[in-house]
Amino acid sequence: MADRNSRVTVVILGASGDLTQRKLGPAFFNLLDSGALPDLCSFIGVARSDYSDDRFRNYLRKGVGEVKNSSWEAFAARVSYFRGSSTDATAMKIMDAQISARCSEGQADNRVYHLALKPSLYRDTLTALAESGSLDESSGTRRVVIEKPFGTDYKSARELNSLVHSLLSEDQVFRIDHYLGKDTVQNILVFRFANTIFEPVWNRNYIDHVQISALEDLGVEGRGAFYDGAGVLRDMVQSHLMHLMALVAMEPPVSSAADALRNEKSKVLSAVRQIDSKSAIDNSVRGQYEGYLDEPGVEAGSPTATFGAIRLFIDNWRWQGVPFILRSGKALNRKTTEIAIEFQRPPQSLFGVTSDLMPNRLNISIQPDEGVHIRFVNKTPGSGNRLAAESLNFHFPSGVIRDAYERLLLDAIEGDATHFNRDDEIEFSWKIIDPFIESWIERNQPALHKYEVGSSGPPAAEKLLGNGRTWMLTDDI
Ligand code: NDP
């Protein structure tokens, strides 16, 4: 936490946009309202729209919703608006001078720049900030939060990283993926490394396979133009799902320090088997919901996949031969994000065929259910050897979970990068996804399955699991 003689200014670049209104405004409001922020903390919104301070505050208020007037006024008093382009070094210099002028002699002038902009503006914005002297740390810290997506493939992510490194040191950079701020995601580490009973079986000797699913019941909901250029691999798999996989598969870190954790995530991502775009065809299934082509903003005849499943293998001692299946889709029959781990069947069938059919399962639910579920087999009371699957369930109490953005924005203000992506993690995850993108987009393979809205997606995806395995969701436990 900043000391009392320092000022923290959060500069939101792209302040008239959707992310600012829906996520950043409410998160900063709640942080201030709950007393989590330093006393001298203020917020400046930057965009080209002709807003006054008050109009910008009203814009934020719509996102925050119903709150006590006194709480709102305390927040609004710290909010101002700067009209200008984030890619204009002259404008950024004027703003830099205005922020500096708020600081008294000897007071640390710490800043966080949040790039809530279209990714195509990242490069020119970072350059303008650097040219204007805004990133100079002689009067205080300068941290930069960069929204996802970071790049559109391995090459573009590398290029962006190299620009970032020419202007900033890695510890000034906070590549945000709000999934990593969720309590349920952070709990994966606690579950694995604050308990001793799971670690001995957390490997290829006991685990049959791992499924990571992020299923949505809604379609593109008016974001057709954005989504059509991205598709499910870029929108969900490269970012959210890949990082869930890294948390499940990584080795124990040597400490809880940001780099200790990120070293292990990076290491396991680097061990994912590299395949070429031809093998990517056999290791993936893609689909598109019926009616997608009629969504506003979607190009006529677009081949963009709204459902995707990919199969990955991790070539290390712990995971050799264990399939990791990552799937995500829109307009499906349910909304859930969860990790399902299936353990191997018992080596001998003592109780008849049924026990063979029920291997132990562990489901870690991320959202909307927030909890952990373990399936095990029990004897059914009564005579004979009738068996039944039961489960042990844990749910986070409702109302105690802090919004992921709140948690991450506070971390960025405090300089804790533990739950942000490091340069190498991002590059490895694109390297894994690139062959799939190449086969789907450039080779137009595998076949694009049409699936009904409200269905469970293309049936072909289940075949990817292999060996007669089926999807395992908490509801099915
Ligand atoms: P929007 O298009 O809604 O907002 C971007 C804002 O940037 C616009 O309001 C625009 O306002 C402003 N802008 C454009 N050019 C400039 C410029 N040169 N200088 C200053 N401001 C400029 O996008 P989103 O808010 O949806 O997304 C922003 C970023 O966050 C993207 O990278 C997106 O991928 C990411 N993101 C968004 C999420 C969401 O839920 N929306 C979720 C996760 C990530 P004006 O015309 O007034 O300048």
Side-chain angles (χ1 to χ4, degrees):
M1 179 70 71
D3 67 52
R4 296 209 158 262
N5 194 31
S6 63
R7 203 168 245 291
V8 176
T9 309
V10 178
V11 181
I12 305 170
L13 303 147
S16 59
D18 175 70
L19 180 75
T20 304
Q21 189 178 47
R22 283 195 314 111
K23 296 287 181 188
L24 306 186
F28 286 127
F29 170 82
N30 289 333
L31 285 172
L32 189 81
D33 198 40
S34 62
L37 293 178
D39 291 344
L40 295 176
C41 184
S42 54
F43 309 91
I44 303 180
V46 179
R48 298 162 308 166
S49 293
D50 188 12
Y51 283 12
S52 61
D53 288 345
D54 276 340
R55 190 167 161 207
F56 178 53
R57 289 171 188 141
N58 286 337
Y59 182 74
L60 292 184
R61 182 151 201 181
K62 283 198 191 115
V64 171
E66 283 300 311
V67 288
K68 272 201 306 206
N69 266 345
S70 55
S71 299
W72 173 256
E73 275 152 23
F75 176 68
R78 293 161 185 259
V79 172
S80 58
Y81 183 74
F82 181 92
R83 185 183 177 196
S85 169
S86 61
T87 60
D88 175 356
T90 312
M92 293 302 98
K93 201 172 178 62
I94 294 169
M95 183 176 66
D96 178 63
Q98 288 178 2
I99 302 172
S100 303
R102 295 175 175 190
C103 294
S104 49
E105 185 79 29
Q107 189 174 46
D109 171 11
N110 298 328
R111 301 187 201 167
V112 176
Y113 289 92
H114 194 121
L115 271 56
L117 295 157
K118 281 199 170 37
S120 55
L121 294 172
Y122 292 168
R123 173 171 283 275
D124 289 349
T125 296
L126 290 166
T127 308
L129 287 173
E131 277 174 17
S132 65
S134 305
L135 302 180
D136 175 11
E137 289 203 290
S138 53
S139 61
T141 55
R142 299 290 184 269
R143 297 183 178 127
V144 179
V145 178
I146 306 180
E147 278 294 336
K148 87 174 249 286
F150 193 94
T152 52
D153 56 16
Y154 174 61
K155 183 168 171 279
S156 58
R158 261 186 83 103
E159 283 168 3
L160 187 54
N161 269 333
S162 110
L163 173 87
V164 164
H165 291 148
S166 70
L167 306 173
L168 296 155
S169 62
E170 181 61 29
D171 62 8
Q172 290 176 273
V173 186
F174 295 76
R175 297 174 194 79
I176 195 167
D177 174 347
H178 69 276
Y179 255 58
L180 303 188
K182 288 182 185 294
D183 270 314
T184 42
V185 172
Q186 296 180 4
N187 188 47
I188 298 170
L189 290 178
V190 176
F191 183 80
R192 287 192 58 196
F193 302 128
N195 295 297
T196 50
I197 60 171
F198 301 109
E199 183 55 20
V201 294
W202 208 263
N203 56 52
R204 64 188 299 274
N205 298 326
Y206 291 94
I207 289 179
D208 176 75
H209 77 287
V210 178
Q211 300 174 10
I212 302 180
S213 305
L215 312 179
E216 294 173 83
D217 51 0
L218 298 177
V220 293
E221 296 297 296
R223 292 172 73 228
F226 157 78
Y227 192 85
D228 206 40
V232 66
L233 286 180
R234 289 189 169 112
D235 190 42
M236 295 296 292
V237 182
Q238 175 273 334
S239 48
H240 305 325
L241 299 196
M242 198 66 78
H243 291 287
L244 291 180
M245 183 182 79
L247 291 172
V248 169
M250 64 186 258
E251 294 300 314
V254 292
S255 75
S256 62
D259 269 334
L261 183 77
R262 300 193 299 175
N263 286 344
E264 296 306 333
K265 280 173 69 196
S266 173
K267 202 163 87 187
V268 78
L269 289 173
S270 76
V272 172
R273 188 176 304 163
Q274 277 293 302
I275 58 173
D276 57 22
S277 59
K278 203 156 162 288
S279 313
I281 299 169
D282 300 329
N283 283 286
S284 64
V285 170
R286 61 180 181 143
Q288 187 184 75
Y289 66 82
E290 283 167 0
Y292 172 74
L293 295 177
D294 302 326
E295 298 275 11
V298 170
E299 265 188 37
S302 166
T304 295
T306 59
F307 176 98
I310 64 170
R311 179 170 52 206
L312 301 174
F313 290 92
I314 299 173
D315 286 333
N316 64 15
W317 273 56
R318 189 188 282 267
W319 294 116
Q320 190 59 245
V322 177
F324 282 75
I325 293 93
L326 280 50
R327 71 168 165 156
S328 181
K330 287 194 176 291
L332 297 170
N333 56 1
R334 55 180 119 192
K335 174 180 168 57
T336 183
T337 300
E338 51 187 277
I339 297 161
I341 295 169
E342 184 163 274
F343 290 87
Q344 290 182 8
R345 287 153 202 267
Q348 191 190 1
S349 170
L350 290 181
F351 308 106
V353 156
T354 14
S355 65
D356 283 350
L357 298 178
M358 291 184 283
N360 295 118
R361 286 176 182 173
L362 167 66
N363 282 55
I364 302 176
S365 306
I366 309 295
Q367 64 177 21
D369 174 28
E370 297 169 319
V372 178
H373 311 269
I374 298 177
R375 181 175 94 164
F376 59 101
V377 177
N378 257 351
K379 181 178 183 311
T380 306
S383 59
N385 267 338
R386 293 188 51 209
L387 309 181
E390 303 291 347
S391 65
L392 286 170
N393 301 311
F394 160 77
H395 293 272
F396 279 92
S398 62
V400 299
I401 300 245
R402 183 169 245 180
D403 175 75
Y405 261 103
E406 268 176 55
R407 177 177 293 269
L408 291 174
L409 296 176
L410 183 61
D411 284 353
I413 289 171
E414 294 181 345
D416 179 354
T418 309
H419 301 295
F420 292 83
N421 289 312
R422 205 170 59 185
D423 50 356
D424 49 350
E425 289 175 65
I426 293 267
E427 289 181 17
F428 283 129
S429 57
W430 277 121
K431 224 174 176 172
I432 296 163
I433 287 298
D434 267 7
F436 293 99
I437 294 180
E438 208 183 306
S439 70
W440 288 19
I441 294 171
E442 286 166 28
R443 292 171 175 256
N444 200 18
Q445 287 188 70
L448 183 68
H449 298 274
K450 289 280 180 184
Y451 62 94
E452 263 179 54
V453 170
S455 70
S456 57
E462 202 161 44
K463 296 209 178 80
L464 211 55
L465 297 167
N467 284 351
R469 298 172 180 119
T470 55
W471 296 121
M472 309 176 285
L473 293 171
T474 305
D475 291 354
D476 308 329
I477 265 191

